[in-house]
Amino acid sequence: MYDLIIKNATTIDNQPISVAVTNGKIEKVAQEIHDEAREIFDANGLFLSAGWIDAHVHCFEKMDLYYDYPDKVGVENGVTTIVDAGSTGENNIRDFYEIAKNAKTNVYALLNISKNGIVTQDELSDLSRVNETKNIERINELPEFIIGIKARMSKSVIGENGVKPLVMAKELQKKVNLPLMVHIGTAPVALDELFTYLEKGDIVTHCFNGKDNGILDTNGKIKEFAKTAYHNGVHFDIGHGTDSFNFEVALRAKEEDILADTISTDIYSRNREYGPVYNMATTMEKLMFVGYSLEEVVTRVTKAPAKALGFTTKGEVKEGFDADFTLFEVANEAKELRDSNGATKEVNQKIIPKTAIIAGKVYNI
Ligand SMILES: [Zn+2]
């Protein structure tokens, strides 16, 4: 007998779907399943996708600048897997892990190359805080938790150090063979110089920020080097955050067929409570306003982040994969959306997560 059967759900391409789960894994996927199970979840009227993955959050409650609680940004928003993007470094990531492992939400981390993570805003202004030996030690100690590395490369973070922190991050990446996420923002480093260090698979977060040092030139076109990098496989991630998502940049990029590869929130307590982020669904709605289809936004919070971050059993509704699902409605309701620069847009469609299922456990929202 199965542990759980989810019945009568609808896929995003409007097909009926039922899923049977045992021991936290997907055992069977079909249009209809009539077998026995300990628990039946009737998903009539709901869309079912693989559990949403947020590739950029801040969820270590003991930090002062950017902090939150895993389940507040995760399961309560219909997000089954969250990746903390560099809140902590080799000196404090073990504390974070001890707390994070008790969350209902699946929590993973990108290791900040600076030892204490974002304890202060300028964690890479003093490079004595980057200790490669200890970074490698920690990565080897917590392979089930640390899935990549993070370097924040903008003026307020790096001080006078120019590209040096990025060079150090790339050296570490070569040794540990993990994904690297690079935060972009105000110069220095100038974005064209920064991009010369990036390779296929490297993740640029805050890709559609509205800052001068962003991907949009003064004529409203996407800068040539950014386009080339994108087409060569540098991964563009939204990382909305308080300051880093601009409708105009996202719209102009869409006009040139540059769609973000993944949709992430860069959520933490303040931008969750007071906006402009609020939650993952709102961030997805913003990209739908930009012109992405429902399928395109859902892929960008499931299969795409799983692939970019090396989750080999997440992101798809497939036999043998983890039994993580998000069940949601798309309702025709008016809503105002606001970007990081205060621009507002009226939309008539809302994405409303109703239930998150994590390793076969049902959490109604
Ligand atoms: Zn962030």
Side-chain angles (χ1 to χ4, degrees):
M1 196 180 349
Y2 297 114
D3 290 341
L4 169 72
I5 292 176
I6 306 158
K7 280 190 170 180
N8 303 322
T10 304
T11 65
I12 45 173
D13 41 9
N14 284 308
Q15 298 302 308
I17 184 171
S18 293
V19 183
V21 171
T22 297
N23 292 329
K25 297 279 179 189
I26 299 172
E27 281 226 355
K28 188 173 174 181
V29 183
Q31 292 214 332
E32 286 181 40
I33 299 174
H34 298 286
D35 301 315
E36 300 267 294
R38 283 179 195 91
E39 185 179 0
I40 302 281
F41 182 87
D42 188 347
N44 191 19
L46 298 176
F47 286 110
L48 176 142
S49 70
W52 295 350
I53 300 168
D54 192 337
H56 184 162
V57 310
H58 295 280
C59 65
F60 182 34
E61 64 189 72
K62 289 190 181 172
M63 303 304 278
D64 292 323
L65 284 174
Y66 307 112
Y67 62 89
D68 213 326
Y69 301 88
D71 292 333
K72 290 251 176 250
V73 301
V75 64
E76 292 177 25
N77 289 333
V79 176
T80 58
T81 298
I82 55 179
V83 180
D84 181 280
S87 300
T88 56
E90 41 94 354
N91 200 33
N92 50 359
I93 199 162
R94 282 176 295 196
D95 288 354
F96 176 31
Y97 172 66
E98 287 307 317
I99 294 180
K101 69 183 184 188
N102 299 317
K104 296 170 186 148
T105 311
N106 301 308
V107 186
Y108 296 90
L110 305 180
L111 179 77
N112 194 310
I113 61 166
S114 180
K115 67 178 181 183
N116 294 315
I118 316 174
V119 162
T120 56
Q121 191 64 258
D122 61 346
E123 78 264 18
L124 290 171
S125 63
D126 172 1
L127 294 178
S128 71
R129 297 184 198 137
V130 183
N131 183 321
E132 189 180 80
T133 310
K134 285 192 175 166
N135 282 335
I136 293 173
E137 206 175 284
R138 215 59 75 232
I139 289 165
N140 290 333
E141 236 171 65
L142 295 171
E144 72 282 20
F145 185 55
I146 302 174
I147 57 160
I149 55 184
K150 174 89 187 272
R152 299 202 308 145
M153 290 298 299
S154 58
K155 186 182 174 184
S156 55
V157 181
I158 61 172
E160 304 294 311
N161 285 323
V163 294
K164 275 185 223 153
L166 181 56
V167 171
M168 293 167 98
K170 288 297 293 181
E171 280 168 6
L172 173 63
Q173 182 199 24
K174 294 273 181 288
K175 291 181 181 152
V176 296
N177 196 24
L178 288 177
L180 167 66
M181 180 184 279
V182 178
H183 138 137
I184 62 168
T186 304
V189 176
L191 198 63
D192 55 344
E193 187 186 1
L194 187 154
F195 265 69
T196 62
Y197 291 86
L198 301 180
E199 297 171 280
K200 186 176 161 70
D202 289 344
I203 301 165
V204 170
T205 192
H206 310 314
C207 65
F208 295 156
N209 75 66
K211 297 168 187 175
D212 291 343
N213 196 36
I215 64 167
L216 198 64
D217 71 18
T218 45
N219 301 316
K221 293 283 172 201
I222 303 304
K223 294 174 183 170
E224 214 47 54
F225 66 85
K227 241 193 300 200
T228 306
Y230 176 80
H231 291 301
N232 287 337
V234 169
H235 182 108
F236 280 25
D237 175 60
I238 293 288
H240 186 311
T242 306
D243 295 318
S244 302
F245 177 76
N246 180 286
F247 276 125
E248 186 63 19
V249 178
L251 284 161
R252 294 292 184 157
K254 176 75 172 52
E255 279 172 13
E256 297 191 47
D257 289 324
I258 293 178
L259 281 72
D261 295 288
T262 47
I263 298 173
S264 70
T265 59
D266 190 14
I267 197 170
Y268 58 92
S269 54
R270 269 175 292 141
N271 69 32
R272 171 172 59 77
E273 284 179 48
Y274 307 114
V277 174
Y278 299 109
N279 50 51
M280 176 57 100
T282 304
T283 309
M284 292 160 75
E285 289 161 359
K286 290 176 186 179
L287 276 308
M288 285 187 74
F289 168 81
V290 168
Y292 296 34
S293 67
L294 180 64
E295 191 178 354
E296 284 169 337
V297 295
V298 170
T299 302
R300 283 161 174 73
V301 300
T302 53
K303 199 174 172 179
K307 202 170 162 230
L309 294 163
F311 295 127
T312 54
T313 58
K314 294 193 186 298
E316 290 178 73
V317 180
K318 241 178 164 172
E319 284 165 30
F321 272 50
D322 296 349
D324 297 345
F325 310 97
T326 303
L327 292 135
F328 60 99
E329 276 176 13
V330 179
N332 295 322
E333 280 178 43
K335 185 170 175 178
E336 188 183 85
L337 301 172
R338 177 164 50 95
D339 74 6
S340 295
N341 302 98
T344 56
K345 308 289 178 189
E346 297 291 333
V347 294
N348 294 307
Q349 246 184 357
K350 269 167 82 168
I351 299 173
I352 309 166
K354 291 286 186 182
T355 302
I357 298 177
I358 302 173
K361 265 191 111 173
V362 177
Y363 301 99
N364 288 313
I365 296 160

Short mmCIF file of all heavy atoms in Angstrom, two decimals, residues 67-96:
data_model
loop_
_atom_site.label_atom_id
_atom_site.label_comp_id
_atom_site.label_asym_id
_atom_site.label_seq_id
_atom_site.Cartn_x
_atom_site.Cartn_y
_atom_site.Cartn_z
N TYR A 67 17.89 38.08 7.54
CA TYR A 67 17.58 36.86 8.28
C TYR A 67 16.11 36.52 8.11
O TYR A 67 15.29 37.39 7.77
CB TYR A 67 17.89 37.03 9.77
CG TYR A 67 17.06 38.11 10.41
CD1 TYR A 67 15.81 37.82 10.97
CD2 TYR A 67 17.49 39.43 10.39
CE1 TYR A 67 15.02 38.83 11.51
CE2 TYR A 67 16.70 40.44 10.92
CZ TYR A 67 15.47 40.14 11.48
OH TYR A 67 14.69 41.13 11.99
N ASP A 68 15.80 35.28 8.35
CA ASP A 68 14.41 34.85 8.37
C ASP A 68 14.37 33.43 8.91
O ASP A 68 15.41 32.91 9.35
CB ASP A 68 13.78 34.94 6.98
CG ASP A 68 12.29 35.30 7.06
OD1 ASP A 68 11.64 34.88 8.02
OD2 ASP A 68 11.79 35.99 6.15
N TYR A 69 13.22 32.80 8.84
CA TYR A 69 13.04 31.43 9.31
C TYR A 69 12.71 30.57 8.09
O TYR A 69 11.86 30.95 7.29
CB TYR A 69 11.91 31.38 10.34
CG TYR A 69 12.19 32.28 11.51
CD1 TYR A 69 11.81 33.62 11.48
CD2 TYR A 69 12.88 31.80 12.62
CE1 TYR A 69 12.12 34.47 12.54
CE2 TYR A 69 13.18 32.64 13.68
CZ TYR A 69 12.79 33.98 13.64
OH TYR A 69 13.09 34.81 14.68
N PRO A 70 13.34 29.41 7.97
CA PRO A 70 13.14 28.59 6.76
C PRO A 70 11.67 28.36 6.39
O PRO A 70 11.31 28.51 5.22
CB PRO A 70 13.84 27.28 7.11
CG PRO A 70 14.93 27.69 8.04
CD PRO A 70 14.37 28.81 8.86
N ASP A 71 10.84 28.02 7.38
CA ASP A 71 9.46 27.69 7.01
C ASP A 71 8.62 28.92 6.65
O ASP A 71 7.62 28.80 5.95
CB ASP A 71 8.80 26.86 8.12
CG ASP A 71 9.42 25.48 8.23
OD1 ASP A 71 9.95 24.98 7.21
OD2 ASP A 71 9.40 24.90 9.33
N LYS A 72 9.05 30.08 7.12
CA LYS A 72 8.35 31.32 6.74
C LYS A 72 8.56 31.63 5.26
O LYS A 72 7.66 32.11 4.58
CB LYS A 72 8.85 32.51 7.56
CG LYS A 72 8.45 32.45 9.00
CD LYS A 72 7.39 33.52 9.27
CE LYS A 72 6.88 33.44 10.67
NZ LYS A 72 5.50 32.97 10.75
N VAL A 73 9.78 31.40 4.78
CA VAL A 73 10.05 31.68 3.36
C VAL A 73 9.78 30.45 2.50
O VAL A 73 9.58 30.56 1.29
CB VAL A 73 11.49 32.19 3.13
CG1 VAL A 73 11.73 33.46 3.92
CG2 VAL A 73 12.53 31.16 3.49
N GLY A 74 9.74 29.27 3.13
CA GLY A 74 9.57 28.03 2.39
C GLY A 74 8.14 27.54 2.38
O GLY A 74 7.28 28.08 1.69
N VAL A 75 7.88 26.52 3.19
CA VAL A 75 6.60 25.80 3.12
C VAL A 75 5.38 26.72 3.21
O VAL A 75 4.39 26.52 2.51
CB VAL A 75 6.57 24.68 4.20
CG1 VAL A 75 6.61 25.25 5.60
CG2 VAL A 75 5.36 23.77 4.00
N GLU A 76 5.46 27.77 4.01
CA GLU A 76 4.30 28.67 4.14
C GLU A 76 4.01 29.45 2.87
O GLU A 76 2.93 30.03 2.73
CB GLU A 76 4.50 29.62 5.33
CG GLU A 76 4.48 28.89 6.66
CD GLU A 76 4.73 29.79 7.87
OE1 GLU A 76 4.47 31.01 7.78
OE2 GLU A 76 5.19 29.26 8.89
N ASN A 77 4.97 29.48 1.96
CA ASN A 77 4.77 30.13 0.66
C ASN A 77 4.62 29.12 -0.47
O ASN A 77 4.72 29.48 -1.65
CB ASN A 77 5.95 31.05 0.33
CG ASN A 77 5.97 32.29 1.19
OD1 ASN A 77 4.93 32.74 1.65
ND2 ASN A 77 7.15 32.84 1.40
N GLY A 78 4.47 27.85 -0.12
CA GLY A 78 4.35 26.83 -1.16
C GLY A 78 5.68 26.41 -1.74
O GLY A 78 5.73 25.74 -2.77
N VAL A 79 6.76 26.82 -1.10
CA VAL A 79 8.11 26.51 -1.59
C VAL A 79 8.65 25.34 -0.77
O VAL A 79 8.74 25.43 0.45
CB VAL A 79 9.03 27.74 -1.49
CG1 VAL A 79 10.45 27.40 -1.91
CG2 VAL A 79 8.47 28.89 -2.33
N THR A 80 9.01 24.25 -1.44
CA THR A 80 9.40 23.05 -0.70
C THR A 80 10.91 22.95 -0.46
O THR A 80 11.34 22.25 0.43
CB THR A 80 8.91 21.79 -1.44
OG1 THR A 80 9.48 21.78 -2.75
CG2 THR A 80 7.39 21.77 -1.55
N THR A 81 11.69 23.66 -1.28
CA THR A 81 13.14 23.64 -1.14
C THR A 81 13.68 25.06 -1.26
O THR A 81 13.34 25.78 -2.20
CB THR A 81 13.79 22.77 -2.24
OG1 THR A 81 13.32 21.42 -2.08
CG2 THR A 81 15.30 22.78 -2.16
N ILE A 82 14.51 25.44 -0.29
CA ILE A 82 15.10 26.77 -0.34
C ILE A 82 16.61 26.67 -0.24
O ILE A 82 17.15 25.76 0.40
CB ILE A 82 14.57 27.69 0.79
CG1 ILE A 82 14.76 27.06 2.17
CG2 ILE A 82 13.09 28.02 0.55
CD1 ILE A 82 14.27 27.93 3.33
N VAL A 83 17.26 27.60 -0.91
CA VAL A 83 18.72 27.63 -0.90
C VAL A 83 19.14 28.97 -0.32
O VAL A 83 18.89 30.02 -0.92
CB VAL A 83 19.28 27.45 -2.33
CG1 VAL A 83 20.81 27.48 -2.30
CG2 VAL A 83 18.78 26.14 -2.94
N ASP A 84 19.74 28.92 0.84
CA ASP A 84 20.24 30.14 1.45
C ASP A 84 21.51 30.56 0.70
O ASP A 84 22.46 29.79 0.58
CB ASP A 84 20.55 29.92 2.93
CG ASP A 84 21.05 31.19 3.59
OD1 ASP A 84 22.25 31.52 3.42
OD2 ASP A 84 20.24 31.87 4.23
N ALA A 85 21.48 31.79 0.20
CA ALA A 85 22.56 32.22 -0.70
C ALA A 85 23.60 33.05 0.03
O ALA A 85 23.64 34.27 -0.06
CB ALA A 85 21.98 32.98 -1.89
N GLY A 86 24.43 32.35 0.79
CA GLY A 86 25.61 33.00 1.36
C GLY A 86 25.40 33.81 2.62
O GLY A 86 26.22 34.68 2.93
N SER A 87 24.34 33.53 3.38
CA SER A 87 24.19 34.24 4.66
C SER A 87 25.35 33.93 5.59
O SER A 87 25.76 34.75 6.39
CB SER A 87 22.89 33.84 5.36
OG SER A 87 21.78 34.15 4.57
N THR A 88 25.86 32.69 5.48
CA THR A 88 26.91 32.25 6.40
C THR A 88 28.15 31.75 5.65
O THR A 88 28.09 31.37 4.48
CB THR A 88 26.41 31.10 7.31
OG1 THR A 88 25.93 30.03 6.48
CG2 THR A 88 25.30 31.56 8.23
N GLY A 89 29.27 31.76 6.38
CA GLY A 89 30.54 31.25 5.85
C GLY A 89 31.07 30.12 6.70
O GLY A 89 30.36 29.59 7.57
N GLU A 90 32.34 29.77 6.47
CA GLU A 90 32.90 28.58 7.13
C GLU A 90 32.86 28.66 8.66
O GLU A 90 32.82 27.65 9.34
CB GLU A 90 34.33 28.30 6.64
CG GLU A 90 35.26 29.49 6.46
CD GLU A 90 36.14 29.81 7.65
OE1 GLU A 90 35.98 29.17 8.71
OE2 GLU A 90 36.99 30.71 7.51
N ASN A 91 32.82 29.88 9.20
CA ASN A 91 32.85 30.04 10.65
C ASN A 91 31.50 29.85 11.33
O ASN A 91 31.43 29.52 12.50
CB ASN A 91 33.40 31.44 10.95
CG ASN A 91 33.93 31.55 12.35
OD1 ASN A 91 34.46 30.58 12.91
ND2 ASN A 91 33.79 32.73 12.93
N ASN A 92 30.41 30.08 10.59
CA ASN A 92 29.09 29.99 11.24
C ASN A 92 28.08 29.10 10.52
O ASN A 92 26.94 28.97 10.95
CB ASN A 92 28.50 31.40 11.48
CG ASN A 92 28.53 32.28 10.24
OD1 ASN A 92 29.01 31.87 9.19
ND2 ASN A 92 28.02 33.49 10.37
N ILE A 93 28.49 28.46 9.44
CA ILE A 93 27.52 27.66 8.68
C ILE A 93 27.09 26.41 9.44
O ILE A 93 25.97 25.92 9.26
CB ILE A 93 28.05 27.33 7.26
CG1 ILE A 93 26.88 26.95 6.34
CG2 ILE A 93 29.13 26.24 7.28
CD1 ILE A 93 27.16 27.00 4.86
N ARG A 94 27.94 25.92 10.36
CA ARG A 94 27.52 24.73 11.13
C ARG A 94 26.37 25.06 12.07
O ARG A 94 25.46 24.26 12.24
CB ARG A 94 28.71 24.15 11.90
CG ARG A 94 29.63 23.34 11.00
CD ARG A 94 30.85 22.84 11.72
NE ARG A 94 31.67 23.97 12.15
CZ ARG A 94 32.95 23.86 12.53
NH1 ARG A 94 33.52 22.68 12.55
NH2 ARG A 94 33.62 24.92 12.88
N ASP A 95 26.41 26.26 12.67
CA ASP A 95 25.29 26.70 13.53
C ASP A 95 24.01 26.75 12.72
O ASP A 95 22.94 26.34 13.18
CB ASP A 95 25.51 28.14 14.04
CG ASP A 95 26.59 28.24 15.07
OD1 ASP A 95 27.10 27.17 15.48
OD2 ASP A 95 26.91 29.38 15.46
N PHE A 96 24.15 27.30 11.53
CA PHE A 96 22.99 27.43 10.65
C PHE A 96 22.43 26.05 10.31
O PHE A 96 21.23 25.80 10.41
CB PHE A 96 23.42 28.20 9.39
CG PHE A 96 22.39 28.34 8.31
CD1 PHE A 96 21.03 28.41 8.62
CD2 PHE A 96 22.77 28.40 6.97
CE1 PHE A 96 20.07 28.55 7.61
CE2 PHE A 96 21.83 28.54 5.97
CZ PHE A 96 20.47 28.60 6.29
#
